[in-house]
Amino acid sequence: MTINLYGIPNCDTVKKARTWLSNNDTDFVFHDFKKDGITRELIAGWLRDVQWDVLVNRKGTTWRNLPDERKASIVDATSATELMLESPSVIKRPVLVKNKKTTVGFSADLYQQIFQD
């Protein structure tokens, strides 16, 4: 079983997720958005399990700094994908893929549920 964790290393929530995985002896591969990039295919895979409006972090600085016209143009998975490709920092973090199932965000309770199998 391959577990992939996507995010940026200096994000506090990503740090918590990485620590939780390590403390629970869970092997994973970390993919840094900024260093390793993202692809349209990767986002499409996430969107099979997660709605686009969950994947786009509308509370973060990247979103808040977008012009109002740009924010208003994000209305569906296609426009959200284009934004995520342009500005990966707008993706809510971390994105966890386990057994081809995508989960977004972190809490100890959520990860406990995911990894209880």
Side-chain angles (χ1 to χ4, degrees):
M1 163 179 50
T2 302
I3 297 166
N4 292 295
L5 187 72
Y6 299 87
I8 53 178
N10 63 337
C11 171
D12 288 340
T13 310
V14 170
K15 288 177 188 176
K16 290 175 188 174
R18 292 175 79 175
T19 299
W20 190 96
L21 291 167
S22 295
N23 289 346
N24 286 275
D25 298 320
T26 304
D27 291 330
F28 66 96
V29 175
F30 180 68
H31 181 105
D32 180 342
F33 290 159
K34 293 197 179 194
K35 187 171 106 181
D36 303 322
I38 58 168
T39 64
R40 187 175 306 281
E41 295 75 23
L42 185 59
I43 294 170
W46 298 341
L47 289 171
R48 284 192 286 270
D49 295 322
V50 178
Q51 295 293 318
W52 69 267
D53 55 343
V54 172
L55 203 50
V56 173
N57 182 5
R58 293 183 177 180
K59 295 180 181 174
T61 305
T62 302
W63 177 265
R64 288 193 310 266
N65 288 337
L66 290 173
D68 289 340
E69 313 82 60
R70 184 68 171 119
K71 291 178 195 174
S73 74
I74 309 305
V75 295
D76 58 17
T78 301
S79 56
T81 297
E82 294 306 317
L83 176 63
M84 289 184 273
L85 289 168
E86 291 167 23
S87 301
S89 297
V90 80
I91 299 170
K92 184 170 181 175
R93 303 175 294 269
V95 176
L96 176 79
V97 179
K98 176 188 177 225
N99 296 336
K100 299 182 182 179
K101 174 82 172 118
T102 303
T103 309
V104 177
F106 171 79
S107 76
D109 289 343
L110 173 64
Y111 274 38
Q112 192 65 44
Q113 278 184 322
I114 294 169
F115 290 97
Q116 68 184 355
D117 312 340

